[in-house]
Amino acid sequence: MIGEPGLSVIIARIAAVIYLAAAAGALFSRSYYRRLIEDFYRNAAVVYLAGFMAVVLGSLVVVHHNLWVTDWRVLITILGWLALIKGVLLIVFPGFVQGYSRPFLGERGLMWFPPTAAFLGLLFGYFGFLH
């Protein structure tokens, strides 16, 4: 149909909402996110499910949006590949991912997460809703 947004715009809109919600959650519910981080690797089923979901979502993006172009749409492709790789690593090597993630899961990571997620949310929001 005329005027329908393309796949890049749809994914950018979804990513914007997710990143902005996560940024706001981490900013306004800091203690909850601290508990979330502490509990994540204690539950093997949650780690596996997170890996499985990342593989599914990453695969969908890689299969349907594998665009290596010189504009903003490459960010979606990179996001898809990172999700796919992270998901596979969580399923196959959960201990490795936990050890590698440890520096990002402490107070310093919790301090940097909200502004980083907000930046990505605003960036994808710009390309998804305004551009």
Side-chain angles (χ1 to χ4, degrees):
M1 290 185 148
I2 296 174
E4 282 189 18
L7 183 58
S8 300
V9 171
I10 292 169
I11 295 171
R13 289 176 179 178
I14 293 168
V17 171
I18 291 169
Y19 278 118
L20 290 172
L27 185 65
F28 296 118
S29 302
R30 196 170 184 81
S31 62
Y32 178 80
Y33 272 68
R34 191 175 291 114
R35 264 193 355 259
L36 183 71
I37 290 168
E38 291 169 2
D39 291 348
F40 181 75
Y41 284 107
R42 289 187 191 150
N43 189 326
V46 170
V47 173
Y48 182 83
L49 183 59
F52 182 83
M53 289 173 49
V55 167
V56 169
L57 293 173
S59 294
L60 286 170
V61 172
V62 167
V63 168
H64 295 287
H65 193 283
N66 200 24
L67 302 175
W68 294 98
V69 293
T70 58
D71 60 38
W72 69 272
R73 297 173 300 160
V74 74
L75 297 174
I76 293 170
T77 300
I78 292 169
L79 191 67
W81 276 103
L82 289 174
L84 178 59
I85 292 165
K86 179 183 177 180
V88 169
L89 290 175
L90 276 172
I91 291 171
V92 179
F93 303 110
F96 169 77
V97 175
Q98 180 181 9
Y100 183 76
S101 300
R102 196 172 309 277
F104 303 101
L105 299 177
E107 277 303 311
R108 182 176 279 163
L110 195 55
M111 179 182 74
W112 283 102
F113 178 74
T116 304
F119 171 76
L120 290 171
L122 291 171
L123 180 68
F124 283 116
Y126 171 76
F127 290 118
F129 293 103
L130 301 175
H131 187 261

